[in-house]
Amino acid sequence: MSGSSSSRSVGVRSIETWKDLRACLRDAGDNLVVIEFMAPWSEPSKAMEQPYRDVASEFANKPNVNVQFVALNFDKFEFLGRRLRVEAMPVFLMVRKFMVEDRIVAVSRKELSDKITEMLTKKSSTNPTE
């Protein structure tokens, strides 16, 4: 296998282009997308890398849960980061239908997992037909 396996490890997809980001959000439809804005030079980003992967793995193993986990390098998506007021890293954006519904900054694994669970519950209660 090639050395690119780290960009797809444990359910976290590294997005490298605007085209890929648009496709990811479009394909997600009504489902939650957790976007991590990170920077390889940021110590807090480095500290949350494994916990973020662990959370992605945790949700991948839950039945009837459809959530995507992606990572954006702030240096590559600086314009978007500034438009979304990303001022600290890592920041995790909770996105549905191209809209940021919530955000959480440099958190623990538990706080991130709890926030995602809250967002999934919020969708369930607002869409009783699903």
Side-chain angles (χ1 to χ4, degrees):
M1 257 192 170
S2 70
S4 65
S5 63
S6 65
S7 66
R8 296 177 180 225
S9 62
V10 196
V12 176
R13 177 178 170 201
S14 292
I15 302 287
E16 301 294 328
T17 67
W18 283 93
K19 180 180 176 184
D20 289 345
L21 178 59
R22 282 190 304 274
C24 173
L25 294 173
R26 180 190 64 235
D27 295 346
D30 293 344
N31 295 313
L32 182 66
V33 178
V34 180
I35 300 176
E36 175 197 28
F37 263 97
M38 52 71 65
W41 43 262
S42 162
E43 290 302 320
S45 288
K46 290 177 191 176
M48 275 302 294
E49 183 177 2
Q50 189 58 50
Y52 185 50
R53 292 171 197 260
D54 293 344
V55 169
S57 180
E58 169 191 333
F59 281 90
N61 293 321
K62 289 187 177 185
N64 303 317
V65 172
N66 195 348
V67 59
Q68 293 183 41
F69 293 84
V70 300
L72 300 180
N73 183 329
F74 184 83
D75 295 336
K76 292 182 180 180
F77 290 91
E78 184 173 357
F79 176 77
L80 178 62
R82 296 214 183 277
R83 292 281 308 216
L84 295 173
R85 296 184 329 233
V86 172
E87 297 169 354
M89 282 176 270
V91 63
F92 299 89
L93 305 177
M94 310 297 154
V95 177
R96 267 198 202 97
K97 298 181 185 176
F98 290 87
M99 300 291 297
V100 176
E101 293 187 357
D102 209 342
R103 68 176 58 221
I104 189 165
V105 179
V107 296
S108 71
R109 179 191 187 287
K110 181 179 181 340
E111 289 171 316
L112 181 58
S113 180
D114 290 349
K115 175 56 77 174
I116 294 166
T117 299
E118 174 189 323
M119 295 302 297
L120 292 169
T121 303
K122 179 179 170 183
K123 179 187 179 205
S124 298
S125 64
T126 60
N127 291 327
T129 58
E130 291 187 2

